[in-house]
Amino acid sequence: MKREQFSSSLGFVLAAAGSAVGIGNLVAFPVMASKNGGAAFLIMYAFFVFFICLPIMLAEMSLGRHTRQNPLGAYTDIGKNAAWRTVGWMSVITPFMIGVFYLVITVWIFGYLGKSVLGQLTELADPSSFGAFINSNELFVYMAIVVGLTFLILQGGVKQGIEKAARVLMPMLFVMLIALVIYVMTLDNAMLGVKFFLIPEFDKLTGKVLNGALAQAFFSLSLAMGILITYGSYIQKNNNIVHAGKMVAGLSLLVACCSGLLILPAVFSFNPDIQISTLSESSISMIFTFLPKIFLAMQADIGYFGASFVASFFFLLVFFAALTSLVSIIEVPVASLMDSKGVSRRSALCVLGGAMIVLAIISALSFGRVELFSNLLSYGGVDKSFFDLVYDIFYETILPLNGFLLCLFVIYRWKKHNLDAEISQGNPSFSGSLLQKYVNFSLGTFIPLILAVIFINTVSTIFFGKNLLF
Ligand code: PHE
C-alpha cells in the first residue's frame, strides 16, 4: 500500500504546529516565564528552541521521511539489531503513555469548556470545584466525547483527518488567541502585566531555571515522542524540511509569546498588587483554579453572559490546542501498529483506543477515588499515584533518554552523510552550509551530552530524592 502523505509543506507545518502548540505553550510557558525572569527567560527559551531543539527536529523529520516508517520501523530498518529495535519500541510506548496523561488533562479542559458554556463560573471559581470535578462521574461523559472526537479525526487518515483538522483548528486558534490578547489589553492595569513579562531579569536565570526552560522547549516542540518521525514519514520528498522545521519552531514560539501577553495582563488586571511568587507553580492550578477566578471577577464589568463568553472562548482555544496535540501523539502507536502488522487504521484505532481508555480511566481514578491507584507506590520519599507514575517515568525520565538515543542513532548509526542527503532533498543549498555543519556537530556532541546529564539527574532526583545538579 502506498504511504499516505500530507498534501503540501503547509499541510505538514500546520499539523506539526498543531502538535507543538499545546497546553505547554498556552499555559506552562507564561507561568514559567513570569516566575523566572520574564524576557530573560524568553530569550533563553528561544535560544534553546533554535539551537538545541531545531537540530533534533530536523533529525526526526528526516529519519521519518527517509524510512517512510513509524519510529519502531525506522529504528528497526536502519538499526538492524535488537538493541535499536528496543529503542524503537520505547519510542512508541512513550507517546502512547504520554497520550494517556495528556488525554486526561484534555478531558479536564473540555469539562471546563462545557461548564463555562453552561455559565457555571461561580462554581468553577470555587477552589474545591477542581478536585470535585476530576473525581466526578460527569468526567467520564466528557472523556467519551474527547475520545470520540480524537478517533474521528484519526480515522480520516493523514490528509482527510490529521491535516484537515489542523487546517481548520490552527487558523481558528491563532485568530482566537489574537482576539483574546487584544481584549485583555483593554483591561485596567493590563500594561503592568506586559511590563512584567517583557522586562528581563537576568539574575533569575539559575541552572535550575535553564534546565526547566530546556525541558519546556523540548516538550513543547513534541520532541523525542516519535511524533515528528511519524509526521515526517508523510512529508513529500520535494518539500523543504529545514524551512518547515523553522516554521513549526517559530509558530510554537510565537504562540508562547502571545500567551504571555494574554495570561499576565489578565492576572495583573485582576490584582495589580499581585506578588508573582504567590502565583501557582503548576500550569494545572493556573488553568483550573486561578483563571476561573479572573473570569468570575469579569462579571462585574461585562456581566454574566460576557464573562461566560470570554471563559468559553479561552477554554475552547486551549481545547483546540490540546486536541491537535493529542491527535499527533496517538497517531504514533496507530501508525506503528498499521505498519508492523498490516492492519487497517480502524482496527489499529480500536485496539489502541481500547487500551488507552482503560489506562486513562485508571489515571482518572487515581486522584483519591480508588485508593490502590491513588497511592500506588512510594519512591524518592514521596507517595505516588498511577497518574504520577506515568508522568514521572514517561514524561520526565524517558523523554530525555529517547532524545539522547535519537541523536546517537542518527549521527553514529544512520550516519551524517545520510542525514545530510535526506535534508538536501528539497533543499539543495543545505549541503555545505553553516547550518549543516552546526546540525552535524551539535547532534553528535553537546546535544546528546546535555540530554544525558538531564536524564541522569532526573532519575536521581525523582527516584532517589537526590538532585545532583542544583
Ligand atoms: N507540545 C505540546 C504542548 O506544548 C505537548 C504535547 C504534544 C504533548 C503532543 C503531547 C502530545 O502542550
Side-chain angles (χ1 to χ4, degrees):
M1 221 168 60
K2 200 171 172 302
R3 196 165 191 81
E4 293 181 90
Q5 289 196 336
F6 289 116
S7 62
S8 64
S9 183
L10 180 69
F12 165 79
V13 169
L14 287 174
S19 174
V21 171
I23 304 164
N25 308 54
L26 288 174
V27 190
F29 175 82
V31 173
M32 275 188 152
S34 59
K35 296 207 151 213
N36 298 311
F41 184 89
L42 178 61
I43 293 168
M44 283 321 299
Y45 181 83
F47 177 82
F48 289 147
V49 164
F50 286 103
F51 288 91
I52 295 190
C53 296
L54 187 63
I56 307 177
M57 249 176 122
L58 299 180
E60 289 200 31
M61 287 158 68
S62 315
L63 188 59
R65 189 172 73 170
H66 175 78
T67 56
R68 290 266 176 251
Q69 285 272 9
N70 65 85
L72 175 59
Y75 276 105
T76 309
D77 280 6
I78 296 178
K80 295 197 173 65
N81 65 30
W84 284 120
R85 192 172 162 77
T86 310
V87 180
W89 270 107
M90 263 166 47
S91 310
V92 173
I93 296 172
T94 307
F96 179 80
M97 294 305 290
I98 292 184
V100 169
F101 90 71
Y102 210 77
L103 170 61
V104 174
I105 298 176
T106 308
V107 171
W108 296 343
I109 291 169
F110 188 59
Y112 270 51
L113 168 62
K115 286 171 180 290
S116 307
V117 171
L118 295 174
Q120 299 170 352
L121 286 190
T122 315
E123 188 196 318
L124 290 188
D126 179 337
S128 65
S129 83
F130 178 60
F133 174 66
I134 65 174
N135 281 318
S136 67
N137 291 335
E138 210 186 339
L139 186 83
F140 297 102
V141 177
Y142 288 112
M143 188 182 283
I145 302 174
V146 172
V147 169
L149 270 174
T150 310
F151 282 65
L152 209 64
I153 296 175
L154 284 169
Q155 179 53 39
V158 175
K159 243 186 234 160
Q160 292 303 320
I162 298 172
E163 182 178 333
K164 205 172 186 179
R167 278 185 187 269
V168 174
L169 297 179
M170 293 312 286
M172 279 170 76
L173 185 146
F174 292 126
V175 172
M176 287 170 76
L177 180 60
I178 291 168
L180 271 178
V181 170
I182 294 174
Y183 170 68
V184 296
M185 289 298 170
T186 65
L187 300 177
D188 292 343
N189 297 313
M191 281 307 140
L192 288 178
V194 176
K195 252 197 219 146
F196 196 88
F197 181 52
L198 293 182
I199 292 180
E201 288 180 273
F202 286 99
D203 55 336
K204 290 241 173 99
L205 295 181
T206 58
K208 193 166 174 217
V209 168
L210 293 181
N211 184 18
L214 178 58
Q216 171 64 20
F218 201 78
F219 177 71
S220 194
L221 289 172
S222 310
L223 299 183
M225 301 186 199
I227 294 174
L228 290 166
I229 300 180
T230 309
Y231 275 15
S233 73
Y234 307 135
I235 306 179
Q236 295 176 12
K237 282 284 183 194
N238 59 358
N239 290 163
N240 184 335
I241 286 186
V242 175
H243 185 239
K246 284 185 187 160
M247 290 279 287
V248 175
L251 283 173
S252 165
L253 189 61
L254 189 69
V255 170
C257 292
C258 289
S259 314
L261 293 176
L262 168 65
I263 306 269
L264 285 165
V267 167
F268 275 86
S269 82
F270 171 66
N271 178 1
D273 301 319
I274 193 154
Q275 288 299 319
I276 287 293
S277 55
T278 63
L279 206 61
S280 43
E281 277 295 340
S282 79
S283 36
I284 297 293
S285 57
M286 182 75 188
I287 318 183
F288 299 109
T289 318
F290 198 79
L291 290 180
K293 282 192 218 151
I294 301 185
F295 295 131
L296 184 67
M298 285 178 174
Q299 282 190 355
D301 273 344
I302 51 177
Y304 172 76
F305 287 106
S308 303
F309 178 78
V310 173
S312 309
F313 204 77
F314 173 78
F315 283 112
L316 188 63
L317 168 80
V318 184
F319 178 62
F320 283 171
L323 186 63
T324 44
S325 296
L326 191 60
V327 162
S328 73
I329 207 157
I330 303 182
E331 174 66 8
V332 180
V334 168
S336 305
L337 195 57
M338 285 165 61
D339 291 343
S340 60
K341 296 273 179 271
V343 298
S344 68
R345 199 165 253 285
R346 180 175 298 271
S347 318
L349 275 168
C350 288
V351 173
L352 291 165
M356 199 170 245
I357 290 169
V358 171
L359 292 171
I361 291 176
I362 296 178
S363 302
L365 294 175
S366 77
F367 296 94
R369 240 179 147 179
V370 173
E371 174 57 26
L372 173 67
F373 303 145
S374 309
N375 280 317
L376 193 63
L377 281 175
S378 174
Y379 48 77
V382 190
D383 287 338
K384 301 281 185 165
S385 67
F386 179 77
F387 185 88
D388 296 331
L389 188 71
V390 172
Y391 184 87
D392 284 351
I393 294 188
F394 291 96
Y395 168 67
E396 295 270 20
T397 314
I398 302 210
L399 223 48
L401 177 64
N402 277 353
F404 165 74
L405 293 168
L406 177 95
C407 297
L408 297 190
F409 182 70
V410 166
I411 298 294
Y412 299 109
R413 181 78 197 189
W414 187 31
K415 301 279 192 281
K416 290 177 189 167
H417 64 272
N418 289 316
L419 172 68
D420 294 344
E422 187 59 42
I423 300 183
S424 298
Q425 280 203 46
N427 181 6
S429 61
F430 180 72
S431 72
S433 67
L434 195 62
L435 180 66
Q436 179 215 12
K437 295 192 180 80
Y438 180 73
V439 167
N440 281 339
F441 176 74
S442 62
L443 285 177
T445 53
F446 64 89
I447 296 182
L449 188 70
I450 293 172
L451 293 172
V453 171
I454 293 181
F455 168 68
I456 294 168
N457 191 45
T458 308
V459 171
S460 168
T461 309
I462 296 185
F463 298 100
F464 302 100
K466 204 173 159 76
N467 193 322
L468 304 171
L469 292 180
F470 318 111

